[in-house]
Amino acid sequence: MRVDVVSIFPEYFAPLELSLIGRARANGVLQLGVHDLRTWTHDVHRTVDDTPYGGGPGMVMRPEPWGEALDALTPAEAPPPRLLVPSPAGAPFTQAMAYELAAEPHLLFACGRYEGIDQRVLEHAATRMPVTEVSLGDYVLFGGEVAVLVILEAVTRLLPGVLGNAGSLDEESHAHGLLEAPIYTKPPSWRGHDVPEVLRSGDHGKIARWRREEGLLRTAARRPDLLDALPADQLDKRDIAA
Ligand SMILES: COc1cccc(COC(=O)c2cn[nH]c2)c1
């Protein structure tokens, strides 16, 4: 997968050299390009923002530098990249979207700052490539950079060969639309707290049932919204005989 990121703070992405994403790059699973938006400015002050039409606080990112940046990063002959714009006004980012993005050959991230990017940038881009504004949650950050780090981590770990034990993918939270059950390791007793007996029983059927039950109870307690989203056949309300 190729990923390009455009930002006025390209140094935000230095950490990507480290940890798993660094390994993904090393073994060629991920090609990452980080670009400074100011590359595509031509004035002596390298201006990327201006005041908002219609008034209001803050500044807006000008369309011209973005237009030239997206042109430069959208190769004419190859299939167009998918443009992702982290934004408080975006569609919720979910594990399902992470899987969807992990299947894309080329992602192009636009990091907004200030009050945002002139809307015409997205309108024009949409005539050449798929454009998705994506939200990580109902709060406002200074800019899209941190959101891109989150999305890239969620997506990269789904790429083949990035996670050592692929098994850990299909049992994690949100893999089945539910929260994961509690997990334990040695010692069997620690500061008076014991590991649930069932997990040490060796009865794998019983363990699987216990984990599903615990996952359902946790989901009902912390994320009832996820229960409502479950396909009917996956959830027998009696399962949560609390
Ligand atoms: C595109 O314009 C802007 C403007 C301001 C901040 C940002 C960064 O994104 C967020 O703040 C965000 C993403 N998910 N939840 C919050 C983008």
Side-chain angles (χ1 to χ4, degrees):
M1 169 188 285
R2 173 152 191 91
V3 173
D4 287 295
V5 183
V6 182
S7 164
I8 58 171
F9 293 116
E11 59 278 9
Y12 245 99
F13 298 94
L16 293 189
E17 311 286 345
L18 316 174
S19 80
L20 271 182
I21 292 186
R23 192 189 309 161
R25 294 181 68 185
N27 66 31
V29 166
L30 179 75
Q31 292 83 40
L32 178 68
V34 179
H35 313 274
D36 184 344
L37 177 66
R38 295 187 199 275
T39 307
W40 291 282
T41 60
H42 309 294
D43 61 306
V44 68
H45 297 296
R46 313 192 81 195
T47 313
V48 292
D49 64 325
D50 203 336
T51 54
Y53 274 120
M59 301 291 274
V60 179
M61 298 190 100
R62 298 170 50 229
E64 298 93 333
W66 277 110
E68 291 185 31
L70 300 185
D71 288 349
L73 295 170
T74 307
E77 65 290 346
R82 179 160 179 182
L83 179 62
L84 295 164
V85 186
S87 163
F93 181 63
T94 61
Q95 190 68 8
M97 190 188 286
Y99 274 103
E100 202 185 292
L101 297 181
E104 294 280 350
H106 186 189
L107 299 179
L108 176 48
F109 287 94
C111 297
R113 281 264 153 179
Y114 313 107
E115 298 309 307
I117 303 171
D118 186 300
Q119 187 60 28
R120 292 168 293 177
V121 174
L122 277 61
E123 278 167 21
H124 180 267
T127 66
R128 302 189 172 174
M129 65 193 91
V131 178
T132 310
E133 287 185 74
V134 58
S135 167
L136 296 191
D138 296 334
Y139 42 78
V140 183
L141 304 169
F142 279 121
E145 288 79 9
V146 169
V148 170
L149 287 172
V150 170
I151 294 167
L152 270 184
E153 184 158 322
V155 171
T156 306
R157 65 188 292 278
L158 301 178
L159 296 177
V162 174
L163 267 193
N165 159 20
S168 56
L169 274 185
D170 54 27
E171 289 306 313
E172 61 191 7
S173 283
H174 305 291
H176 301 301
L178 291 175
L179 303 185
E180 203 41 53
I183 52 174
Y184 304 82
T185 185
K186 295 186 283 299
S189 186
W190 176 73
R191 294 189 181 183
H193 299 268
D194 299 343
V195 173
E197 270 309 311
V198 63
L199 296 180
R200 303 177 61 219
S201 68
D203 178 338
H204 298 291
K206 202 172 163 200
I207 291 169
R209 282 191 301 282
W210 180 88
R211 284 177 166 158
R212 177 164 174 76
E213 180 68 19
E214 286 296 314
L216 281 168
L217 289 172
R218 247 183 184 190
T219 308
R222 301 176 184 177
R223 293 292 307 277
D225 58 298
L226 291 179
L227 284 186
D228 301 339
L230 269 185
D233 66 319
Q234 267 209 50
L235 177 74
D236 177 339
K237 291 285 184 188
R238 288 192 305 277
D239 276 343
I240 318 175

